[in-house]
Amino acid sequence: MENEMGKICAEGFTFFGKSNRLISHELKNIFAIISETMGLLDELVALSEQGVKLTPARLRSMSDSLLEEVERANAVIRCMNTFAHSVDEFIREVDLNEAVLLTIQLIKLNPISKAMKIEFMRDGAHMIYTSPFFLENLLYHALNFALSAAAAEKVITVSLFADGNHAGVEIAGIAPGGVKAFPTPQTELLVKTLGAEISSDGSSGKFQLVLPQKLPQGPVEALLAT
Amino acid sequence: MKLLLVDDEEKFISRLAERLKLRGYKADWATTFDDALARAGAEKYDIAVLDVKMPSMSGIDLKSKIERITPGIKFIFITGHGSEQDYDTVCQEAICCIIKPFKIEALVEQIEQALNS
């Protein structure tokens, strides 16, 4: 059990670190755009002082662009803040919609994923009692796997379902035969930790993460008790 | 003096190109690999300034492809990843790696050093 707890902690720290790197990279890109826009604006104003024409339309376009980047940065920081609150209460009621949405936002910060499309069909509230942080960790791996194994269309669709004592996430759009490689060894521990199951028929290009309504007794609860 | 600038952030790379033009450089820019390779095939550039991480392909892979089209071209990498490990890896592949956001003078200094080396 101790070894298992150690592995879960290590996995969680790695996920937290990766997410912070993605956020930092995105913010640095935004700062770079703001820096170049301000630099160009400064140079165009200096040129206009020497008689080179600077039109109001050009100024407005650059001003709008700065506002857009501030909005973009604000969205990234909102995502960072929501993610940081995932560990406020280690086990609590979680709306699967919110967990999926947040994880997609994190994944979309990765430049590599920008060439792909993730379509999420939001549904009515799907509340489960689980660890939001490790749920996001599992969703992160599941969605990254789907992106890496996506069919030629490069569109991954995510939807939710509920079934008696379970709720779950269906991920589709994987190339034929690609589903067999999931769960990866990296994710097996998270699947076990959350009392989840992976369901797929191999040929359909989709798999389901089936989650219990209530997290069973296991390493996460043990971790909190120690 | 011809520069090819490649980064998937269009606003960033187009404005950087405009600022370099104001300083007397001929600077073309691209936001995709296909466009970058097409430009490299159509024009002989002295230096390529490449983003390290972009959708579809890494800047290091793009460097290899451009090198095959334009032997002798020099490379400068730019990146938003600030870790020492990333920095060291990328520095081995180019004249230097500049971390975003940067002052344009830092890039100009590297461009001039590359041209005079």
Side-chain angles (χ1 to χ4, degrees), chain B residues 43-55:
Chain B
E43 190 93 46
K44 191 177 183 310
Y45 293 101
D46 301 291
I47 296 177
V49 179
L50 310 179
D51 188 17
V52 176
K53 284 210 176 179
M54 288 186 284

Side-chain angles (χ1 to χ4, degrees), chain A residues 145-192:
Chain A
F145 168 80
L147 290 172
S148 68
E153 295 79 12
K154 294 189 174 180
V155 178
I156 296 299
T157 57
V158 185
S159 55
L160 305 182
F161 62 89
D163 175 20
N165 289 329
H166 295 89
V169 182
E170 183 173 282
I171 298 175
I174 296 159
V179 169
K180 286 177 194 161
F182 194 80
T184 57
Q186 197 179 18
T187 50
E188 272 172 358
L189 183 64
L190 286 163
V191 169
K192 189 178 166 195

Side-chain angles (χ1 to χ4, degrees), chain B residues 13-70:
Chain B
I13 207 69
S14 62
R15 283 163 197 169
L16 181 61
E18 191 169 350
R19 295 183 75 198
L20 288 168
K21 282 177 189 168
L22 288 173
R23 286 162 173 78
Y25 298 99
K26 178 174 176 7
D28 292 334
W29 55 272
T31 57
T32 66
F33 287 95
D34 289 344
D35 190 19
L37 292 174
R39 285 181 180 277
E43 190 93 46
K44 191 177 183 310
Y45 293 101
D46 301 291
I47 296 177
V49 179
L50 310 179
D51 188 17
V52 176
K53 284 210 176 179
M54 288 186 284
S56 309
M57 194 188 282
S58 80
I60 292 172
D61 291 336
L62 179 62
K63 173 189 174 257
S64 303
K65 288 186 184 294
I66 292 176
E67 260 175 340
R68 282 201 285 273
I69 298 169
T70 315

Side-chain angles (χ1 to χ4, degrees), chain A residues 24-25 28-29 31-33 35-37 39-40 43-44 47 58 61 65 68-69 72 111-112 114-115, chain B residues 7-9 11-12 15-16 18-19 22-23 51 53-56 79-82 99-102 104:
Chain A
S24 141
H25 177 253
K28 275 174 158 279
N29 269 329
F31 288 144
I33 293 170
S35 172
E36 287 313 311
T37 306
L40 179 58
E43 285 159 17
L44 292 177
L47 284 171
R58 186 83 206 270
S61 151
S65 163
E68 278 169 23
E69 293 309 311
R72 182 176 160 195
I112 293 158
K114 287 178 182 173
Chain B
D7 192 300
D8 61 308
E9 294 281 358
K11 283 191 262 183
F12 166 74
R15 283 163 197 169
L16 181 61
E18 191 169 350
R19 295 183 75 198
L22 288 173
R23 286 162 173 78
D51 188 17
K53 284 210 176 179
M54 288 186 284
S56 309
T79 181
H81 286 270
I99 308 287
K100 293 182 198 172
F102 51 81
I104 196 163

Side-chain angles (χ1 to χ4, degrees), chain A residues 104-173:
Chain A
I104 290 173
Q105 285 172 342
L106 281 174
I107 283 179
K108 293 300 282 180
L109 298 179
N110 188 339
I112 293 158
S113 75
K114 287 178 182 173
M116 319 280 289
K117 195 171 177 189
I118 304 176
E119 291 178 347
F120 174 43
M121 287 161 248
R122 253 189 105 102
D123 203 354
H126 283 262
M127 305 303 294
I128 61 171
Y129 184 78
T130 191
S131 160
F133 179 72
F134 286 118
L135 173 62
E136 286 149 15
N137 195 344
L138 176 59
L139 288 168
Y140 179 86
H141 284 307
L143 285 167
N144 266 328
F145 168 80
L147 290 172
S148 68
E153 295 79 12
K154 294 189 174 180
V155 178
I156 296 299
T157 57
V158 185
S159 55
L160 305 182
F161 62 89
D163 175 20
N165 289 329
H166 295 89
V169 182
E170 183 173 282
I171 298 175

Side-chain angles (χ1 to χ4, degrees), chain A residues 200-216:
Chain A
S200 75
D201 65 11
S203 60
S204 61
K206 63 186 177 187
F207 64 89
Q208 297 177 329
L209 300 174
V210 185
L211 298 148
Q213 285 290 344
K214 188 174 188 307
L215 183 75

Side-chain angles (χ1 to χ4, degrees), chain B residues 72-106:
Chain B
I73 187 172
K74 291 170 178 168
F75 294 92
I76 293 171
F77 277 117
I78 50 177
T79 181
H81 286 270
S83 82
E84 209 167 290
Q85 191 186 0
D86 290 338
Y87 186 84
D88 290 345
T89 306
V90 168
C91 279
Q92 289 168 11
E93 295 285 336
I95 287 165
C96 70
C97 178
I98 303 176
I99 308 287
K100 293 182 198 172
F102 51 81
K103 288 201 158 107
I104 196 163
E105 291 76 15

